Amino acid sequence: MANATMKTRALGTQGLRVGQIGLGCMGLSDFYFTSRVDEAGAVALIHRAIDRGVTLLDTADMYGPHTNERLVGKALRGRRDAVVLATKFGFRREGGGPPRIDGRPEYVREACDASLARLGVDVIDLYYQHRVDPATPIEETVGAMAELVRAGKVRHIGLSEASAATLRRAHRVHPISALQTEYSLWSRDAEDEILPTARELGISFVAYSPLGRGFLTGRFRSLEDLSPDDYRRNSPRFQGENFARNLAVLDQVNALAAAKGCTPAQLALAWLLARGEDIIPIPGTSDPRRLDENLAAADVALSAEELARIDALAPRGFAVGHRYPAQSQGFLNG
């Protein structure tokens, strides 16, 4: 079991270090509703993660919206110094309409002040632009984020789902410590340009959805395994023939995990950890048992032969279907 002696990894080249596995907090409040948890249970889960060596907690203002930041802030009372607190701005969910992206400098400042208040903290350790705003030059957005650093409201800045070209432009304005993008056995397109560019620039890669939105755990065999309001029912990879074809590959991965003596989730996380010391996965869960299972992946060592076997069974690009529904797919790699 992972514990408070969890190994750490550098997050960027500005001196920040975090536990090699973080905690994505989104599902404690939003989108994934198959395993519900009340506020007390969510706070207890965050405390359990911290007690086991997790130091990177990831949230965003749009989760809820707003409720996830308040939840994380409540969990951090008396424990603020134990964690690297990451949150994001840029998605606006207002009036019940579809989310829109806003990267204007004035909104950057407004969003940061609102997040600080909800979290109940004086400074955000890592502040991400959640998605790149095509209507606002990245230089203007990052310039405003840099002002927040100089004002002492933010320590480090990052981007999420940014293209390689955008990453370069942003990094010229102010050092980018982290790029957060989906990365897992079934989402490897970042390996084309984005991950190599991040490595060239000394930017760490925070991998969200490292378990493929739960698919790689092997828990879900049909849409009926998801509650009616679960976001994943609208995910193309969980639909019809796509789901069936993806499951066929997963069954082979599951067999390899069984032979290794670990769970499929642990195999998937160990594979990510083996991709490089600059990769920090942030799996999320609402179940304490799953949390312990995920953190124990740090103890699963994969040989070169095993890594090659995984690549053969689940080759790059095997997943059928887009990562997001059509309305969200256009927000990626801005």
Side-chain angles (χ1 to χ4, degrees), residues 54-231:
V54 170
T55 59
L56 178 61
L57 298 184
D58 183 89
T59 182
D61 58 4
M62 70 98 68
Y63 301 155
H66 308 318
T67 56
N68 196 248
E69 285 187 324
R70 295 190 185 100
L71 170 68
V72 171
K74 182 174 183 178
L76 289 185
R77 290 173 193 164
R79 296 181 179 234
R80 174 65 182 94
D81 293 341
V83 305
V84 170
L85 177 59
T87 192
K88 314 176 199 73
F89 74 92
F91 265 126
R92 303 186 71 159
R93 293 170 69 186
E94 299 159 346
R100 62 187 179 92
I101 300 174
D102 192 343
R104 294 172 303 131
E106 56 267 35
Y107 182 67
V108 175
R109 294 185 285 268
E110 175 189 331
C112 180
D113 287 343
S115 286
L116 287 168
R118 284 188 292 268
L119 290 161
V121 300
D122 297 323
V123 61
I124 295 164
D125 297 311
L126 177 60
Y127 199 41
Y128 291 102
Q129 182 182 21
H130 208 154
R131 294 291 188 272
V132 176
D133 180 2
T136 304
I138 192 65
E139 290 83 359
E140 294 183 14
T141 303
V142 173
M145 297 170 75
E147 289 177 7
L148 296 174
V149 174
R150 291 191 288 271
K153 296 181 178 182
V154 168
R155 291 195 171 106
H156 305 273
I157 66 175
L159 301 179
S160 180
E161 289 287 359
S163 68
T166 297
L167 201 56
R168 290 185 187 280
R169 289 169 57 194
H171 196 64
R172 293 189 193 107
V173 177
H174 187 276
I176 304 298
S177 296
L179 173 69
Q180 183 175 145
T181 293
E182 184 173 358
Y183 190 29
S184 71
L185 272 173
W186 82 338
S187 293
R188 296 177 61 179
D189 50 304
E191 293 175 356
D192 292 336
E193 289 186 275
I194 295 171
L195 181 55
T197 299
R199 285 178 165 159
E200 176 191 334
L201 300 175
I203 299 169
S204 291
F205 194 104
V206 176
Y208 79 81
S209 290
L211 297 176
R213 295 177 175 78
F215 177 82
L216 296 173
T217 67
R219 291 174 56 204
F220 306 116
R221 305 298 301 182
S222 76
L223 280 184
E224 300 313 307
D225 292 330
L226 301 169
S227 66
D229 54 353
D230 194 295
Y231 157 85

Side-chain angles (χ1 to χ4, degrees), residues 251-272:
D251 287 341
Q252 299 183 67
V253 176
N254 290 349
L256 187 60
K260 179 69 175 174
C262 65
T263 68
Q266 289 169 341
L267 188 76
L269 290 171
W271 176 86
L272 263 180

